[in-house]
Each structure stands twice: as C-alpha cells, then as structure tokens.
Amino acid sequence: MLTVSKLSASYGAIQAVRGVDLEVKARSLCVLLGSNGAGKSTTLRSIAGLHRPVSGSVNLAGQEISRLSLHRVVRSGLAFVPEGRMVVAPLTVEENLALSGFAGRNADPRLVDKIYALFPRLAERRKQKAGLMSGGEQQMLAIGRALMTKPQMLVLDEPSMGLAPAIVDLVFQAIVALHKEGQSILLVEQNAAIALSVCDYGYVMRRGQIVVQGTPEELRQNPEVLEAYLS
Ligand code: ATP
C-alpha cells in the first residue's frame, strides 16, 4: 500500500533522514519508533508532502507521491495528523470537520456521524470552538479531520504527545478500532509499550536510519529496543 524507498531528507546541511526504506501493508498498523531527533517526524513530513525529500520515493497504492503538491497528496489518499494537532482554533468542531471534507477526495457528510461515533466527546462538543478544547479533544478532532478525507493511508505523528494517560487510552482505542475496520495506519509514537501493543509491524530509527524492524514480538525481544524503549 505505502512503500518508501531510499528516502533522504535534509534541513540545509543537517541530514535528518538517510536512506529510509519502509512498507505499510494494506489494512495494517505500522509503527515508527526512535528517540528524540532520530528523524521520525521528518520521515512522516516527507511522506505527507510537507517536506520535500532530497531523494528517494514514496509510493501510495501504485502512485508516486513524493513530488506532488500537498493537496494532490491528500487527493491521492494520504491523510496526515501532525504533531501539535493544528486544528483551526476559531472554528467549531463541526466546522473543522466540514472544512476538511472539502479538501478530501469524496467529501461525504455521513462521515461526520462515523467520526462522532468513534469519538463521542466530539459529538458532545460539536458547537465548541476547537481552540477552547483540551489537548486530548483537539487530538481527537485532528484525527477526525484526517478521516474526513477518507484516506487510504492515515499517518499520525505522536498522537499521545502531552496527553493524560486516560486520554491516551481513548485515542488509542480509536486507533485500534480504525485498524480493526481495515484502515491502513502509519504511526510515530514515543510510548513504545503502547505502540507495540497495537501494531502489526514496527521500525526503529536512529540518527536518520532504520536500525531495527520486525513484528512486535520480535521488537520486544530485541536488546536494543528493550534497553532504549522498554526499560
Ligand atoms: P522528536 O521525537 O523529538 O520529534 P524526531 O525523531 O521526530 O524527534 P525530527 O524532528 O525528524 O526527529 O528531527 C530530525 C533531525 O532534524 C534532528 O536533528 C532535528 O534537530 C533536525 N530538524 C528537525 N526539524 C528541523 C528544522 N526545521 N530545521 C533544522 N533542523 C531540523
């Protein structure tokens, strides 16, 4: 479904991503782990069309998307939920969702009901301005907004960032529910224990490169993963 080959990305002289290969199979939930500064966000931003890679390819369902403009990437079926959420603060929950529906491929107002079922809190707060909601609610809205584009591939950057444990659970319950429905997902997550409990396959990045990969069982037994992320 999503195949990233030899992806390299830089900020001026800083080589943040160096020859990354990764694959997310259709209907699978794949996680990208790594410490701060390893290059995870830059990898996702390059996949999502927010950062122009130096070299390499990003193929989504047979289409090369790494050189497309941002709206074309969305239309190709990839939705990105950035770190920090980036909801439109002065707009309400329902306005945020409607806005995203226009940007997507087959805007479908019935999707809103599905999103409210996934996140009942958003339904309760549908008339509330996004900027006045808690961090967790904004994260739910950011995911809902991405789903409004009916993505073939949902890409999430650290959805648990800064959230209380109970809210992290709610967000991950929703991610698991989406995965069970068959949504293909690529996730960057600092919390390796949670990430490995929900994913089908994982990659570990260090200094811009993939250094370990495997099933969650394999990763849990990997000495490097154990020491760096699960101790
Ligand atoms: P974190 O978990 O802290 O977000 P990360 O694994 O997502 O880390 P990146 O944010 O991709 O890592 O950063 C990779 C490298 O690129 C780091 O050395 C970082 O300092 C550098 N970097 C990231 N963004 C920029 C930028 N806008 N300008 C210059 N350097 C940057």
Side-chain angles (χ1 to χ4, degrees):
M1 167 68 75
L2 178 73
T3 307
V4 175
S5 309
K6 299 188 173 55
L7 186 76
S8 294
S10 300
Y11 301 98
I14 301 172
Q15 276 200 301
V17 176
R18 297 182 289 151
V20 161
D21 292 322
L22 63 84
E23 192 185 353
V24 186
K25 296 205 159 75
R27 306 171 76 85
S28 74
L29 199 175
C30 181
V31 70
L32 183 57
L33 301 171
S35 50
N36 287 332
K40 308 178 299 294
S41 292
T42 308
T43 300
L44 291 198
R45 290 170 55 80
S46 302
I47 291 171
L50 290 168
H51 187 86
R52 189 55 56 100
V54 175
S55 57
S57 75
V58 179
N59 191 295
L60 179 65
Q63 186 185 3
E64 175 59 34
I65 62 169
S66 65
R67 303 289 183 278
L68 295 184
S69 58
L70 194 54
H71 75 279
R72 288 228 162 82
V73 172
V74 175
R75 276 177 198 275
S76 78
L78 187 141
F80 179 50
V81 181
E83 202 178 309
R85 293 132 207 167
M86 310 291 184
V87 295
V88 186
L91 299 187
T92 64
V93 166
E94 59 188 9
E95 287 166 345
N96 265 275
L97 293 177
L99 193 66
S100 184
F102 283 121
R105 295 182 299 162
N106 312 303
D108 180 354
R110 283 168 305 180
L111 271 175
V112 176
D113 293 333
K114 187 189 149 190
I115 291 160
Y116 286 156
L118 189 67
F119 295 117
R121 278 206 195 199
L122 292 183
E124 291 161 18
R125 289 162 176 73
R126 65 181 81 191
K127 302 283 182 202
Q128 186 165 329
K129 285 195 167 49
L132 300 177
M133 299 203 303
S134 71
E137 290 159 0
Q138 289 189 20
Q139 183 64 66
M140 294 172 197
L141 179 56
I143 296 173
R145 225 172 42 160
L147 293 173
M148 283 299 289
T149 67
K150 275 197 182 169
Q152 300 191 70
M153 179 65 56
L154 178 64
V155 179
L156 302 158
D157 195 356
E158 298 210 29
S160 72
M161 174 85 112
L163 304 184
I167 306 296
V168 173
D169 284 348
L170 281 182
V171 169
F172 269 86
Q173 278 167 23
I175 291 171
V176 167
L178 289 168
H179 176 218
K180 281 205 177 119
E181 275 175 23
Q183 175 70 57
S184 310
I185 301 173
L186 172 60
L187 171 74
V188 158
E189 180 52 53
Q190 282 279 336
N191 186 329
I194 289 195
L196 293 178
S197 72
V198 299
C199 74
D200 301 311
Y201 199 79
Y203 294 87
V204 181
M205 272 189 98
R206 186 176 359 105
R207 294 201 200 107
Q209 295 180 306
I210 303 288
V211 289
V212 182
Q213 60 177 284
T215 63
E217 296 73 30
E218 287 164 347
L219 292 181
R220 274 197 205 96
Q221 284 160 21
N222 180 290
E224 172 159 344
V225 176
L226 267 174
E227 189 187 337
Y229 306 106
L230 297 173
S231 54

